[in-house]
């Protein structure tokens, strides 16, 4: 992570027709079998779908309208900005509402390197299962502030690989905690996270000035950290629990 400044048809044959024209043999004493109950089947299907339906952005946002501040102070969105962003506590998660700067640190790629990002660093705070740095271009991850007197993410049950739901303009992207940043600034995520949310992911000129909500689930962890499918599966499950319990 780096510190950024605010600038931001069908045809039928004759034979079939003849068969269709024949009178059907029927025994008036034997009534036809009753059709299955469509109401029962429809209701059962609806309930099953509701159980597995992914949580929506609006459902998550409805649960973070009030803030029980857990941080001892507040964070800046960028260097030079006013410190007015608190970290809030909830059942099973912490959350904050901020901007989104683009983190391209980690493995050098076509879109994340020293030429595209003047603040590029070839390392991330947490690494893949094979020891390699994270790939910001491919892996959705967020950046948490380094531990400080304002807030220590570790005390809240957050660690590398913890699952987060990032929400922007009615879209939800599940990500992992993949990097740490300056102790006084908050609001940053990887190139892949921004791209998935429809935010310009360019490390120098992209990002979102506001309107991004970060919900990080306590005591959660994706293993291996680089598995997008694992983050998605666990994220959906934790999001359902979060909506149910808050």
């Amino acid at each position: 992570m780096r510190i950024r400044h605010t600038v931001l048809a069908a045809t039928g044959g004759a034979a079939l027709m003849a068969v269709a024209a024949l009178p059907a043999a029927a025994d008036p004493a034997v009534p036809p079998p009753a059709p299955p109950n469509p109401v029962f089947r429809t209701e059962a299907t609806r309930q099953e779908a509701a159980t597995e339906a992914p949580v929506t952005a609006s459902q998550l946002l409805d649960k973070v309208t009030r803030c029980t501040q857990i941080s001892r102070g507040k964070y800046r969105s960028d260097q030079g900005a006013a410190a007015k962003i608190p970290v809030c506590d909830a059942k099973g998660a912490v959350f904050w509402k901020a901007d989104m700067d683009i983190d391209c640190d980690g493995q050098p790629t076509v879109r994340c390197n020293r030429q595209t990002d003047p603040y590029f660093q070839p390392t991330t705070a947490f690494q893949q299962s094979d020891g390699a740095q994270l790939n910001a271009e491919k892996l959705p991850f967020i950046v948490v502030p380094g531990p400080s007197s304002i807030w220590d993410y570790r005390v809240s049950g957050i660690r590398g690989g913890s699952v987060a739901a990032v929400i922007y303009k009615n879209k939800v992207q599940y990500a992992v905690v993949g990097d740490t940043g300056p102790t006084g600034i908050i609001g940053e995520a990887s190139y892949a996270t921004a791209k998935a949310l429809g935010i310009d992911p360019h490390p120098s000129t992209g990002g979102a000035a506001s309107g991004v909500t970060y919900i990080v689930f306590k005591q959660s962890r994706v293993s291996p950290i680089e598995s997008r499918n694992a983050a998605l599966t666990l994220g959906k499950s934790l999001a359902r629990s979060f909506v149910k319990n808050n």
Side-chain angles (χ1 to χ4, degrees):
M1 167 161 180
R2 73 281 178 213
I3 300 176
R4 295 183 60 186
H5 293 273
T6 305
V7 284
L8 295 172
T11 61
L16 290 177
M17 293 177 65
V19 173
L22 291 175
D27 186 349
V30 181
N37 188 331
V39 175
F40 175 80
R41 293 177 64 187
T42 301
E43 180 64 15
T45 302
R46 184 195 67 77
Q47 290 180 356
E48 180 180 357
T51 300
E52 299 301 326
V55 172
T56 65
S58 60
Q59 287 177 301
L60 287 169
L61 292 176
D62 282 346
K63 302 300 181 178
V64 295
T65 56
R66 295 182 180 181
C67 176
T68 299
Q69 185 170 328
I70 194 173
S71 57
R72 295 181 179 177
K74 296 183 179 181
Y75 289 94
R76 305 175 189 275
S77 58
D78 293 285
Q79 186 179 30
K84 56 182 181 180
I85 305 172
V87 175
C88 311
D89 196 24
K91 292 180 181 178
V94 297
F95 67 90
W96 57 90
K97 301 177 182 182
D99 64 338
M100 182 184 286
D101 291 333
I102 309 302
D103 187 1
C104 244
D105 295 343
Q107 296 182 33
T109 65
V110 173
R111 294 175 177 81
C112 290
N113 53 66
R114 295 189 187 280
Q115 285 67 48
T116 61
D117 181 5
Y119 300 97
F120 178 79
Q121 296 180 25
T123 59
T124 48
F126 308 104
Q127 289 73 44
Q128 296 183 167
S129 56
D130 61 0
Q133 304 302 316
L134 301 185
N135 186 326
E137 184 180 335
K138 294 183 178 181
L139 181 67
F141 67 77
I142 68 167
V143 179
V144 294
S148 71
S149 59
I150 300 176
W151 178 58
D152 186 338
Y153 64 89
R154 300 169 299 184
V155 176
S156 296
I158 309 301
R159 51 185 171 175
S162 287
V163 186
V166 189
I167 306 148
Y168 180 73
K169 290 187 176 180
N170 296 317
K171 289 185 178 181
V172 180
Q173 176 60 43
Y174 294 103
V176 295
V177 173
D179 204 358
T180 59
T183 57
I185 296 177
I186 202 168
E188 186 170 4
S190 68
Y191 183 106
T193 307
K195 184 177 180 180
L197 288 169
I199 296 172
D200 180 357
H202 194 283
S204 296
T205 60
S210 62
V212 185
T213 299
Y214 304 78
I215 302 174
V216 189
F217 302 107
K218 301 174 182 177
Q219 306 301 338
S220 65
R221 189 176 190 180
V222 170
S223 182
I225 191 173
E226 66 268 22
S227 175
R228 292 187 64 157
N229 287 337
L232 178 61
T233 300
L234 182 56
K236 286 181 176 180
S237 175
L238 291 171
R240 283 193 292 268
S241 297
F242 179 77
V243 169
K244 179 181 179 180
N245 296 328
N246 284 276

